[in-house]
Amino acid sequence: MSKGVAITGMGIISAIGNNVVENYQSLIDGKKGISRVSKIKTNHVNDIMVGEIHFTNQELEQQLGLTSDNNYSRTALLGAVAAKEAIASAGIININAHKTGLISSTSVGGMDMTERYYYDYLENKATQKYIEGHHAGDSTQKIAEQLGIKQSLVTTISTACSSAANAIMLGARLIKSGQLDRVIVGGADCLSKFTINGFKTLMILSDTYNTPFDENRKGLNLGEAAAFLVLESDAVVQAENKNVLAYVKGYGNANDAHHQTASSENGDGATLAMEKALKVANYSPTGIDYVNAHGTATGNNDLSEGRAIIRIFGNNVPDFSSTKAYTGHTLAAAGAIEAVYSVLALQHNVIYPNLNFKTQMKEFNITPQLTLKEKPLQTIMSNSFGFGGNCSTVIFSKEQ
């Protein structure tokens, strides 16, 4: 059986909670974080629903002890808050005591600042510092500065909605290969007009609560969030007598090259990614107790993923559900958000309900878990699938 990489800390901020404890409480209470847009001026305010974090940028700045002249984007602020919780959760006092890296992911980057100051850029030099945070790597660098990571690997992954899952995969591989002893992995994305307009153009945004795997699903709700996990080698765990929350056992990504923004209707990429994850973990499909599905509530994704799940598990599909009805689709952060939720499910032996489901999809007869279910769990598969060009999935387990 594959030797696992230890998860020793987690941090998260989302529309359903400002930390790990609050997020878990919302999950078991069935508390949705979806509402009308309130923090962004958009023409679509009455057309869509989103998962917003209630803190303002100024409140997040205060939490991080930043001065008012900082140039942090909202993505960087959210990412720093979640990453610092993960470090504290892992009991890390000296971040540089071991070879430590940071792999962060984002799709939006600093777009919220760019769109705010774009028209002032040439006329007002004081605003130019905000545009400097536009590129995806800026938020990663600021998170690294907040954590105090020095002279080590700091890098950014941006593969659409599979980004954070790919960050987890890369972090685990770096530890397994001995290149790093500890890696903080995850992702962050904020809401912006650019994101809203882009997904509105794709015509996949819902005007009501999203309904994963429902026959009458209308589309996704965008969400903003950040989550990070601390991955550590056996040597660090043993040397510091660390408490291990779970292990990363398997992972896989795949490119089905089907379409720029759509997955294969038969779930080719998703099937390949799940097959690879099982192979790395040295598991058979029967070893999976629960699938935390990608489940975006779009017509294409739920059909594609559902068919892929059937292709992998056949007549023995395990319990599965999507948690995006709670948080919305958090884009690049989604894989890390749902990794935290998967580890919490393992710790507490619960399967989260697939909220808002009413009508069975006509294309197949598998149905997501509809109520909170207590069940002994050993191993969870967490799916994150990007646009048609990329897929990724990760397996978490209680055992090494």
Side-chain angles (χ1 to χ4, degrees), residues 90-153:
I92 296 172
I93 298 173
N94 182 358
I95 193 74
N96 297 301
H98 303 279
K99 291 184 294 183
T100 300
L102 170 67
I103 305 171
S104 185
S105 58
T106 186
S107 291
V108 178
M111 182 58 74
D112 64 314
M113 289 297 182
T114 302
E115 61 190 22
R116 185 182 305 177
Y117 295 106
Y118 175 79
Y119 292 105
D120 297 328
Y121 182 77
L122 294 178
E123 288 73 26
N124 185 355
K125 287 188 176 182
T127 66
Q128 293 181 7
K129 66 179 182 181
Y130 298 109
I131 311 298
E132 293 171 2
H134 172 82
H135 64 91
D138 181 77
S139 59
T140 303
Q141 193 60 48
K142 285 184 165 64
I143 294 167
E145 291 170 2
Q146 283 286 319
L147 299 181
I149 295 177
K150 299 174 182 177
Q151 298 179 341
S152 189
L153 174 72

Side-chain angles (χ1 to χ4, degrees), residues 5 99-103 152-155 157 166-185 231-233 251:
V5 172
K99 291 184 294 183
T100 300
L102 170 67
I103 305 171
S152 189
L153 174 72
V154 175
T155 192
I157 289 180
N166 278 317
I168 294 169
M169 180 174 78
L170 178 56
R173 293 177 67 186
L174 286 167
I175 289 176
K176 281 188 173 184
S177 65
Q179 296 180 66
L180 292 174
D181 302 314
R182 175 196 291 141
V183 191
I184 294 89
V185 296
L231 308 183
E232 294 189 298
S233 68
Y251 34 76

Side-chain angles (χ1 to χ4, degrees), residues 30-35 49 206-221 295-297 302 321-328 352-361 367-372:
K31 177 184 176 183
K32 290 179 282 197
I34 309 300
S35 63
M49 298 185 77
S206 176
D207 60 354
T208 185
Y209 296 112
N210 71 84
T211 58
F213 298 105
D214 190 284
E215 171 66 22
N216 300 312
R217 60 199 183 280
K218 300 176 70 175
L220 60 84
N221 302 135
T296 61
D302 293 7
S321 64
S322 168
T323 52
K324 287 185 173 64
Y326 288 90
T327 62
Y352 313 118
N354 193 99
L355 302 179
N356 306 329
F357 182 94
K358 291 182 179 178
T359 307
Q360 175 68 43
M361 288 177 61
T367 306
Q369 178 62 33
L370 303 182
T371 58
L372 185 71

Side-chain angles (χ1 to χ4, degrees), residues 267-339:
D268 293 339
T271 301
L272 285 170
M274 287 189 279
E275 285 177 343
K276 287 182 178 181
L278 289 166
K279 183 176 181 180
V280 170
N282 195 24
Y283 281 173
S284 68
T286 57
I288 303 299
D289 300 314
Y290 166 50
V291 177
N292 185 304
H294 189 54
T296 61
T298 59
N300 173 252
N301 176 88
D302 293 7
L303 176 62
S304 176
E305 185 175 11
R307 283 177 169 165
I309 288 172
I310 292 170
R311 287 172 67 178
I312 292 294
F313 295 100
N315 295 323
N316 298 302
V317 173
D319 293 321
F320 73 97
S321 64
S322 168
T323 52
K324 287 185 173 64
Y326 288 90
T327 62
H329 189 352
T330 57
L331 304 183
I337 297 296
E338 288 149 30

Side-chain angles (χ1 to χ4, degrees), residues 222-275:
L222 289 169
E224 59 180 359
F228 286 86
L229 301 94
V230 178
L231 308 183
E232 294 189 298
S233 68
D234 291 342
V236 173
V237 170
Q238 292 168 8
E240 299 188 0
N241 193 27
K242 285 293 190 72
N243 176 46
V244 176
L245 306 178
Y247 292 93
V248 178
K249 293 291 292 183
Y251 34 76
N253 59 11
N255 186 335
D256 64 17
H258 174 73
H259 186 272
Q260 283 184 313
T261 60
S263 300
S264 158
E265 283 191 356
N266 293 318
D268 293 339
T271 301
L272 285 170
M274 287 189 279
E275 285 177 343

